[in-house]
Amino acid sequence: MMDAGRHPRIELLTMSEVTDVHGYVGNFQATIKSRPRYVDPAKCTACNACTEACPLTAVDEFNAGLCSRKIAYRPFAQAVPNVYAIDKDGIPPCQTACPVEQRAQGYIALIREGLYEDALRVIREDNPFPSVCGRSCHHPCEGRCTRRYVDQPVSIMALKRFVTDHLHDLGWQPEVEPVPQTQEKRVAIIGSGPVGLTAAQDLVRNGYGVTVFEALPVAGGMMRVGIPEHRLPKAILQRDIDHILAQGVDLQLNSPISDPVALREQGYDAVLLATGVSKQTRLGIPGENLEGYLDGVKFLRDVSLEQPVEIGERVVVVGGGITAVDCATTAVRLGAKDVTLLYRRSRGELPVYKEDLTEAENEGVQLRDRTVATAILGDENGRVRGVEAVESKPTGRIDQTGARDLAVVEGTEFTLEADTVIRAVGQFADLSYLAPEYQSLAGDKETLQVTVGSEPALQGIFAHSGEIPGSGFVVNAIALGHQAAENIHCYLQGESLSAPPKTRPPETKWTREEAIAKARQKGIDSKPRVAARALPVSERAETFRETWLTYTEEQARTEAGRCLDCASCCECLRCVWACGPGAIDHRMTEQVREIEVGAVVLATGYELYDAAGIPQYGHGRYPNVLDGLEFERMTNVSGPTGGKILCADGGEPRSIAILHCIGSRDDNHKEYCSRLCCMYALKLAHLAKDFTSAEVYEFYIDLRAAGKGYEEFYRRVQEDGVKFIRGKATEIEPSNGRLLVRAEDTLIGEKIEVPVDMAVLITPMQPSAGAREVGQLVGVSVGKDGFFNELHPKLAPVNTSADGVFLAGCAQGVKDIPDTVAQASAAASKVIGLLAQGEVEIDPVTAHVIDERCSGCGECVLTCPYSAIALADGCAEVNEALCKGCGTCVGACVSHAIDVSHFEDEQLMAELVGMMNRPGELVLV
Amino acid sequence: MSEPRIGVYVCHCGTNISAKVDVADVVAFAEGLPGVALAQESKYSCSDPGQKQIADDIAAAGLDRVVVAACSPRMHEGTFQRCINSAGLNPYFLAMTNIREQVAWVHQDGSVATQKAKDLVAAAVQRVRLHAPLYPRKVAVTTAALVVGGGVAGIQTALDVADAGYQVYLVEREATIGGRMAQLNKTFPTLDCST
Amino acid sequence: MTETFQPRIVGFLCNWCSYAGADGAGIARFQYPPNVTVIRVMCSGRVSPEMVIRAFREGADGVIVLGCHIGDCHYISGNHRTAKRIPMLQNLLGYVGIDPRRLRLDWVSSAEGPKLARVVDEFVAAIRGLGPAGYRALAAVPEGALQGARQHGA
């Protein structure tokens, strides 16, 4: 093994499979698909740090499933190559659903393990606002969570919040140090909202000097002045902002900027306009200039900035998003007695989470859905006195924006009395801060129309151009910030902005059935999510204490335990942080490569027949019934029991039965003799005697010890004191905590029952799963037992009917190690013999086209198993190097335009004529 | 096309064929077939004297096509192709017909077997008349090998081939090579360590 | 013996499985009726509808096509074509006046000498039951009449 790993002329392609083979003897092209290892073999020093850091475990196949191993692992200490690997089943859907690809499965796993600091660290890798997103994220992750198939999705957002709050409550302070500025260039960012501060952090981490200019006296943008205190306390937002600033971002408050180009002249190499969507859409109905009619965004901002805000006792909020709900619940806290939410669509279409709406209603907010405001009514003083509205219903059509079209219901007009009306029906960019010469940049709906580099005067000025989809969601804004930072980084480094998208592993996809089956397999019962607690309504009115409370530690760990770990590796990044040489890359993808070879050797080996398929022996049901490999692993010091043969209860067995021919020489399972199991069973008996003082029984049909030194070994085991019983064990039954082995002792002709503590089933070897498919790629068939067919059992035991393809080892038939090595060397000598010739003769029996008859229909092209025929200029053309002369194309050609040398139509017809027309019988047509 | 000169050789294969098939009768029948210049019995056509007889006749009688009625072409087609080639004929001017595995060994009745042998010889004579020379192409060999599977067998093959100086690609499905052997503790009969 | 009708049957056997299976039957000395004379083809997919029709025209009372089992074809998928083409041809034989039961397709691997002997036994008995075919004087099949079999089968 070691020699193969070190050999300069052997290239190991592990975690790889052959997916296609083309060509012919001496000239094969093979396609090899390699699964990603997520560890760079060139850097890995096999130090085991990743394994120690990994929080997740999987079944250890190497130890026959008897114990578990980490997800970041090395199969065993002497593995070749001596490189770790990570089991990853794609990227979990919670991560792909997230605009910033937050590694949710990762921090959930770490919460489950109580590793809260690392959980927060992995959150911050992709998201500078964990406290904010733990509270007011629209969490698309939860909608895609695999657990939803079992009962309810994991409460991902609440878990994120728990980590931030819990660590804060413990008084834990992350160690943040300013990132040293390593780049000469500096970047100015206008606006300190989620886009601006995310970009600022990313750019600082890339070594740039960054200054953020904020017009308001406080930082945070809409997070600060758009989300009310009772949903996102200012102090908590400040925790995230402080963390960003501590990394070296320079923040200038009270600094409105109207001329971005001037900033360039002041020495900033790039400028990012991150001023967001702060302007409220107007309703476009009469009465929008009345006193007491408020802009929802401005209303929330004034309340946040503790500016005087006057509202009456009766408040109507027009709109249905989270901003509308925020306006309504803020109005309640400001003392409004009667708050109504007017929403033009149905309750179910309201784009807020059910819990938030329920809590608002608990506070007294009344929802009137399917209601459209048609006018704001005023009194003689120009003050709002009410809203005129009408009920709506869907027309059944879909409008241009893809939403359901609405129509008013005639005769349902009514008036709602109100002192204050607040509109909250959508936001767009407010570009009024820009100097007049830049106003031309604003397009419809006042979106920016800047395309980077489009105008020389605007070089280095960055802004999101066009409409920003879903920009009202914090996490989308964070994603935009990352994107902006990356674009600016590319620009400053002089790289193309249209770089190809980065490759990444595919998404983990489980069907509902798979999810339910996996949950059952893991012993997970259906259990709804842990509900978040809300502040009692009585404590909410006229205070701005947070409505939702955080999970307790116990609740959080229970909820985190609901995660199904659907992607295996959770990407908690602990291995990345632990890896000194930086060998781990979670973004590796499957690699496909083509190699050219002159010969192919199939050495696909064997696997053990599954003893669980023979129910009368109870493998998988009775704890102390093992198969040979399981028993073998116990005897290994690096095995699951550290080299002790132990029963399931931990005690040493006093008696062990070894049962031969379980599943072999059996018409119901494998008809063949698996040949080496007799000796293997003897070896296990020897090990049993070596490791324990147990009585050991061998139940055999007959003992086949036909190999050099084998009979001597048999005798040695007899001398060990192993008891041999001639007769196949027929069944195993549990009895008084032990196992009763039933058999017929054919030497004395009696049925016997032997009580033992442990039974080992010796099952046959069978061809590896997938071997048949590999054989088909190279044109080698399998016999009825599934082993590859050799060309001739005696004359050509390692050749196959496919020239240039040879067999070695158990892929061809059951054999022991000495025979395997001998056959492998035989196969090698055939390969060497072929390669040493330097050239091969290509059989001239190939197809050829009779051009003048070919109509170019392409039927032969479709028929050819080797893709050896192509159409050129409307005529078929045979690649003789690929053609193997089967003649299937000839059988398919309607126009007799293709024929195969030496098996030509004429020749075969002549044969027919010759054999059928006996002299004297000839009848002329 | 001038009339071909076909030589027909009907093999006794010791008594394997002649125990059932009346070889002399088949030869006499063959002599009357169109294009047949000579027909001969052969005790063991694949033996050195048998092959020499064919090669000599090609030279002496100016044969340009040969029919051998003997065992399965899967057995000896190559032998006779090389034989006629050594006598200067293109190897594809051979037609072989199987009167042993598919006639003498599977039919009890001698007269029926003889009739079937005649049918097959007639078929081969008709066929060989239309044979054309073919020439194998020589193609360089890529001096590298692909070994699929990294267990004992794959590793041993890879080492032997690599030691002989050729590049080997050893493809293994798992993360490590070693296969099943790596899981074994000690191996019989010598009880030495497997890795 | 002279009382019994001795049908003449043409067998098209693929080189890698069925012809080898026939050799295997011989090696094991499995006896079977002598009525089938064999034409060796490299793959059963080589057998065109015309070859089958021609065999009947040359006086065959039956035609049997034998190939590798599906999945075991030496040429990967050549026998997939056979598996479609021959049944389609059977459907069309009636139109040219040939009893479809006179054409049989089966799969015989190189290890199935006994099966080969059994299949030949059965087919000879079946053809004997059908009696002489007498298609020797069959008019030449018009060009194109069998295109369906090729297209659907191919």
Side-chain angles (χ1 to χ4, degrees):
Chain A
M1 260 175 84
M2 302 297 161
D3 292 344
R6 278 194 295 259
H7 203 293
R9 282 184 296 275
I10 297 179
E11 184 173 343
L12 292 185
L13 296 159
T14 48
M15 303 181 83
S16 301
E17 285 174 53
V18 180
T19 56
D20 204 3
V21 179
H22 280 295
Y24 50 96
V25 55
N27 296 274
F28 294 104
Q29 293 88 41
T31 308
I32 314 287
K33 192 155 85 178
S34 303
R35 303 193 305 283
R37 188 181 267 274
Y38 305 106
V39 179
D40 183 348
K43 292 183 185 162
C44 178
T45 58
C47 69
N48 205 45
C50 53
T51 299
E52 283 165 22
C54 181
L56 292 180
T57 56
V59 172
D60 187 355
E61 310 89 352
F62 182 74
N63 276 313
L66 292 177
C67 55
S68 60
R69 59 157 172 84
K70 290 296 186 65
I71 294 273
Y73 74 110
R74 176 176 55 171
F76 55 97
Q78 301 86 358
V80 177
N82 198 355
V83 174
Y84 283 64
I86 297 171
D87 271 348
K88 192 196 299 287
D89 185 13
I91 309 257
C94 50
Q95 190 177 332
T96 53
C98 178
V100 298
E101 295 179 28
Q102 187 86 82
R103 293 168 164 96
Q105 195 190 322
Y107 66 77
I108 291 169
L110 296 176
I111 290 171
R112 194 170 52 208
E113 300 300 315
L115 299 163
Y116 304 128
E117 294 169 25
D118 284 341
L120 184 55
R121 185 174 170 188
V122 72
I123 295 170
R124 284 203 199 277
E125 285 280 336
D126 305 297
N127 184 343
F129 292 103
S131 306
V132 177
C133 288
R135 288 172 164 76
S136 67
C137 184
H138 67 302
H139 49 77
C141 49
E142 294 183 15
R144 299 278 299 286
C145 175
T146 307
R147 178 87 194 206
R148 75 188 190 278
Y149 292 136
V150 181
D151 35 50
Q152 283 181 301
V154 175
S155 197
I156 301 173
M157 181 175 83
L159 285 170
K160 181 184 285 174
R161 170 173 172 179
F162 162 76
V163 177
T164 59
D165 288 353
H166 185 70
L167 289 173
H168 181 77
D169 294 346
L170 291 176
W172 180 76
Q173 290 290 330
E175 288 170 29
V176 216
E177 283 184 12
V179 181
Q181 189 178 337
T182 53
Q183 309 272 354
E184 277 179 23
K185 294 180 173 161
R186 293 198 302 149
V187 181
I189 293 174
I190 305 173
S192 69
V195 176
L197 287 180
T198 300
Q201 173 179 292
D202 287 359
L203 290 165
V204 160
R205 284 182 178 180
N206 271 329
Y208 298 102
V210 179
T211 303
V212 176
F213 296 94
E214 172 58 54
L216 294 177
V218 291
M222 293 298 284
M223 295 185 292
R224 176 72 172 231
V225 299
I227 304 175
E229 175 80 14
H230 60 279
R231 272 214 308 127
L232 175 59
K234 314 284 176 254
I236 284 170
L237 167 64
Q238 197 59 41
R239 298 200 305 236
D240 290 348
I241 295 176
D242 286 345
H243 187 87
I244 295 166
L245 298 181
Q247 292 170 65
V249 173
D250 174 31
L251 175 67
Q252 304 285 330
L253 297 174
N254 300 308
S255 307
I257 300 289
S258 62
D259 187 348
V261 174
L263 284 175
R264 292 271 284 116
E265 284 151 13
Q266 286 166 34
Y268 291 100
D269 299 279
V271 178
L272 173 64
L273 273 56
T275 49
V277 285
S278 57
K279 203 161 173 178
Q280 186 62 250
T281 312
R282 296 182 83 86
L283 295 171
I285 57 174
E288 290 202 85
N289 49 359
L290 293 167
E291 196 180 326
Y293 177 67
L294 305 179
D295 167 345
V297 172
K298 183 169 185 305
F299 167 69
L300 291 174
R301 178 162 65 223
D302 289 345
V303 174
S304 288
L305 294 173
E306 295 174 9
Q307 301 286 319
V309 178
E310 275 187 35
I311 61 162
E313 292 208 332
R314 297 168 303 175
V315 176
V316 171
V317 180
V318 182
I322 189 66
T323 306
V325 174
D326 282 348
C327 288
T329 53
T330 299
V332 169
R333 283 162 177 75
L334 290 175
K337 294 281 178 277
D338 182 2
V339 181
T340 306
L341 197 56
L342 289 192
Y343 180 52
R344 61 197 177 116
R345 299 179 184 279
S346 69
R347 181 187 184 89
E349 292 170 273
L350 200 87
V352 296
Y353 285 101
K354 206 172 64 191
E355 309 85 70
D356 288 324
L357 181 62
T358 308
E359 287 311 313
E361 290 183 313
N362 287 343
E363 291 166 16
V365 174
Q366 295 167 52
L367 171 68
R368 285 199 72 145
D369 64 345
R370 294 188 189 284
T371 306
V372 179
T374 51
I376 314 293
L377 306 174
D379 58 16
E380 59 280 12
N381 301 324
R383 272 204 60 86
V384 166
R385 69 169 172 86
V387 179
E388 194 179 84
V390 64
E391 288 178 18
S392 72
K393 62 172 184 191
T395 61
R397 291 187 295 273
I398 302 292
D399 70 14
Q400 288 167 338
T401 64
R404 286 209 266 169
D405 194 29
L406 293 175
V408 298
V409 183
E410 298 293 336
T412 59
E413 296 82 1
F414 67 99
T415 302
L416 203 58
E417 308 254 304
D419 308 311
T420 306
V421 176
I422 303 173
R423 67 171 197 270
V425 289
Q427 289 150 241
F428 57 92
D430 180 3
L431 300 175
S432 58
Y433 68 92
L434 286 174
E437 62 265 38
Y438 302 113
Q439 287 301 325
S440 62
L441 297 177
D444 298 344
K445 296 185 123 182
E446 300 200 23
T447 51
L448 265 183
Q449 298 296 306
V450 186
T451 308
V452 176
S454 58
E455 288 178 59
L458 294 174
Q459 278 290 317
I461 310 289
F462 288 77
H464 188 86
S465 77
E467 222 172 325
I468 304 169
S471 56
F473 297 125
V474 174
V475 71
N476 289 2
I478 296 169
L480 282 177
H482 286 310
Q483 184 64 50
E486 198 176 313
N487 287 354
I488 292 171
H489 176 61
C490 288
Y491 167 76
L492 294 178
Q493 299 298 318
E495 292 165 12
S496 165
L497 293 185
S498 54
K502 279 182 217 149
T503 56
R504 63 176 205 179
E507 183 183 295
T508 312
K509 282 210 174 81
W510 287 18
T511 63
R512 178 178 297 273
E513 292 68 32
E514 284 168 343
I516 292 170
K518 278 249 175 76
R520 193 174 299 139
Q521 187 191 331
K522 286 183 161 191
I524 293 170
D525 293 326
S526 175
K527 185 168 68 179
R529 51 166 49 188
V530 176
R533 296 165 304 147
L535 193 70
V537 175
S538 58
E539 292 176 38
R540 291 188 217 166
E542 299 183 28
T543 78
F544 278 89
R545 277 181 60 196
E546 211 175 352
T547 305
W548 291 103
L549 303 177
T550 198
Y551 275 152
T552 64
E553 184 171 3
E554 193 193 338
Q555 283 179 318
R557 292 184 70 167
T558 306
E559 183 59 21
R562 293 182 63 243
C563 175
L564 295 176
D565 298 320
C566 53
S568 292
C569 167
C570 63
E571 292 198 8
C572 68
L573 303 186
R574 273 172 63 88
C575 55
V576 176
W577 303 328
C579 182
I584 295 171
D585 176 2
H586 284 280
R587 285 293 170 267
M588 282 184 182
T589 49
E590 186 177 272
Q591 300 293 316
V592 176
R593 67 182 275 199
E594 290 260 328
I595 57 172
E596 299 203 340
V597 294
V600 178
V601 178
L602 300 178
T604 48
Y606 76 96
E607 61 190 33
L608 276 187
Y609 187 69
D610 186 4
I614 318 168
Q616 62 268 39
Y617 300 103
H619 185 258
R621 281 183 294 142
Y622 310 145
N624 293 317
V625 177
L626 307 174
D627 68 23
L629 193 59
E630 289 166 346
F631 186 80
E632 174 107 36
R633 289 312 302 159
M634 276 205 211
T635 66
N636 196 300
V637 276
S638 62
T641 52
K644 292 197 178 79
I645 295 173
L646 298 175
C647 289
D649 62 9
E652 197 185 279
R654 281 166 296 143
S655 55
I656 301 172
I658 298 173
L659 281 51
H660 292 226
C661 297
I662 304 304
S664 54
R665 305 172 71 190
D666 182 339
D667 289 349
N668 296 319
H669 299 281
K670 298 291 178 190
E671 287 174 31
Y672 53 87
C673 166
S674 189
R675 220 186 122 196
L676 56 90
C677 341
C678 279
M679 295 307 292
Y680 182 63
L682 292 181
K683 183 194 81 173
L684 295 186
H686 177 78
L687 290 175
K689 278 289 181 191
D690 222 18
F691 281 70
T692 69
S693 53
E695 199 69 71
V696 178
Y697 301 92
E698 296 257 358
F699 290 84
Y700 68 98
I701 303 176
D702 43 39
L703 259 159
R704 299 180 173 183
K708 194 172 175 184
Y710 288 9
E711 183 65 21
E712 292 80 347
F713 184 69
Y714 176 24
R715 202 167 304 155
R716 184 174 158 188
V717 175
Q718 285 177 312
E719 284 161 10
D720 285 341
V722 173
K723 294 201 160 54
F724 289 84
I725 298 172
R726 200 186 81 179
K728 184 176 172 178
T730 51
E731 64 178 334
I732 295 176
E733 197 173 274
S735 164
N736 298 326
R738 304 185 79 194
L739 299 165
L740 208 56
V741 180
R742 294 215 173 87
E744 187 190 346
D745 186 330
T746 56
L747 285 178
I748 56 172
E750 276 178 24
K751 287 186 176 163
I752 56 166
E753 290 182 345
V754 180
V756 294
D757 298 317
M758 179 179 277
V760 184
L761 309 179
I762 305 299
T763 50
M765 297 153 81
Q766 61 182 357
S768 294
R772 185 191 179 105
E773 289 72 22
V774 173
Q776 282 173 351
L777 294 177
V778 289
V780 174
S781 57
V782 297
K784 75 173 165 41
D785 297 323
F787 295 102
F788 288 129
N789 286 329
E790 62 280 1
L791 185 62
H792 190 283
K794 290 192 286 282
L795 300 177
V798 301
N799 294 68
T800 69
S801 59
D803 266 355
V805 181
F806 306 98
L807 303 176
C810 292
Q812 178 263 340
V814 172
K815 52 182 68 67
D816 56 25
I817 294 176
D819 284 1
T820 295
V821 172
Q823 201 198 21
S825 288
S829 81
K830 290 284 179 185
V831 171
I832 294 164
L834 168 62
L835 301 186
Q837 284 174 32
E839 55 181 20
V840 282
E841 282 193 354
I842 301 294
D843 192 342
V845 177
T846 55
H848 51 87
V849 177
I850 302 126
D851 287 0
E852 58 273 20
R853 287 196 200 151
C854 179
S855 65
C857 71
E859 196 57 39
C860 52
V861 178
L862 298 174
T863 309
C864 180
Y866 300 98
S867 308
I869 312 177
L871 287 181
D873 297 329
C875 185
E877 206 172 78
V878 178
N879 180 340
E880 284 173 16
L882 294 178
C883 175
K884 294 193 195 287
C886 66
T888 310
C889 52
V890 187
C893 181
V894 184
S895 356
H896 301 264
I898 196 161
D899 217 334
V900 61
S901 306
H902 211 54
F903 288 87
E904 312 241 0
D905 262 336
E906 272 196 332
Q907 292 167 345
L908 296 178
M909 296 296 185
E911 210 174 333
L912 203 49
V913 169
M915 67 170 57
M916 295 306 295
N917 296 290
R918 291 175 184 162
E921 281 186 8
L922 197 67
V923 180
L924 292 173
V925 180
Chain B
M1 189 175 93
S2 60
E3 190 59 15
R5 294 183 60 77
I6 305 169
V8 178
Y9 297 85
V10 184
C11 186
H12 288 250
C13 195
T15 56
N16 276 307
I17 293 169
S18 55
K20 285 281 157 59
V21 174
D22 182 343
V23 174
D25 189 19
V26 177
V27 167
F29 165 78
E31 279 171 341
L33 291 170
V36 173
L38 68 85
Q40 300 275 1
E41 294 179 39
S42 182
K43 202 73 192 157
Y44 282 106
S45 53
C46 61
S47 67
D48 279 352
Q51 293 191 49
K52 186 168 183 299
Q53 179 191 6
I54 297 171
D56 289 349
D57 287 349
I58 290 170
L63 301 180
D64 57 9
R65 280 161 173 75
V66 172
V67 169
V68 179
C71 54
S72 173
R74 291 174 54 83
M75 187 95 168
H76 273 313
E77 191 171 43
T79 310
F80 293 112
Q81 283 186 330
R82 283 187 292 276
C83 164
I84 67 166
N85 196 29
S86 70
L89 276 187
N90 185 283
Y92 291 89
F93 282 129
L94 171 82
M96 222 187 145
T97 195
N98 185 349
I99 59 166
R100 190 178 76 168
E101 285 88 343
Q102 298 188 13
V103 177
W105 281 352
V106 290
H107 304 316
Q108 289 292 346
D109 187 310
S111 66
V112 168
T114 303
Q115 179 58 54
K116 187 170 168 186
K118 287 180 185 170
D119 292 344
L120 288 170
V121 168
V125 167
Q126 289 291 350
R127 189 190 208 284
V128 84
R129 287 166 62 86
L130 300 176
H131 278 199
L134 297 172
Y135 304 92
R137 290 190 305 135
K138 291 204 171 192
V139 177
V141 168
T142 309
T143 52
L146 166 64
V147 178
V148 187
V152 184
I155 291 172
Q156 184 65 45
T157 309
L159 283 172
D160 285 359
V161 174
D163 282 344
Y166 300 106
Q167 171 72 29
V168 178
Y169 300 96
L170 181 55
V171 173
E172 167 57 48
R173 186 159 57 182
E174 304 299 330
T176 172
I177 58 169
R180 304 286 161 192
M181 178 190 62
Q183 290 175 293
L184 304 180
N185 188 3
K186 290 175 174 168
T187 55
F188 60 83
T190 47
L191 295 178
D192 42 5
C193 167
S194 62
T195 44
Chain C
M1 183 83 195
T2 46
E3 299 299 313
T4 348
F5 160 54
Q6 289 297 338
R8 308 273 324 259
I9 295 169
V10 174
F12 293 103
L13 272 60
C14 85
N15 179 58
W16 303 97
C17 292
S18 307
Y19 194 91
D23 282 355
I27 291 163
R29 308 297 197 277
F30 289 111
Q31 303 295 300
Y32 56 83
N35 307 64
V36 178
T37 34
V38 170
I39 293 180
R40 183 171 67 121
V41 288
M42 294 315 272
C43 179
S44 58
R46 169 69 184 85
V47 180
S48 64
E50 281 79 357
M51 281 162 62
V52 174
I53 300 293
R54 183 68 186 267
F56 285 117
R57 283 181 57 202
E58 294 299 331
D61 300 301
V63 174
I64 186 163
V65 179
L66 299 176
C68 306
H69 286 274
I70 293 295
D72 285 344
C73 182
H74 182 74
Y75 301 106
I76 308 171
S77 60
N79 60 356
H80 292 217
R81 303 288 163 177
T82 321
K84 290 181 183 174
R85 192 182 294 148
I86 300 299
M88 177 60 69
L89 179 60
Q90 282 171 327
N91 286 338
L92 293 174
L93 281 181
Y95 293 102
V96 293
I98 298 173
D99 188 326
R101 289 172 294 178
R102 294 187 184 275
L103 172 60
R104 175 165 176 174
L105 168 66
D106 216 319
W107 314 118
V108 172
S109 82
S110 57
E112 290 177 328
K115 181 176 179 184
L116 179 111
R118 178 173 60 76
V119 168
V120 169
D121 243 346
E122 283 173 12
F123 193 57
V124 169
I127 298 300
R128 195 167 279 149
L130 291 172
Y135 302 131
R136 193 179 276 273
L138 195 73
V141 178
E143 271 296 318
L146 297 163
Q147 285 193 359
R150 278 179 183 268
Q151 281 172 341
H152 290 89

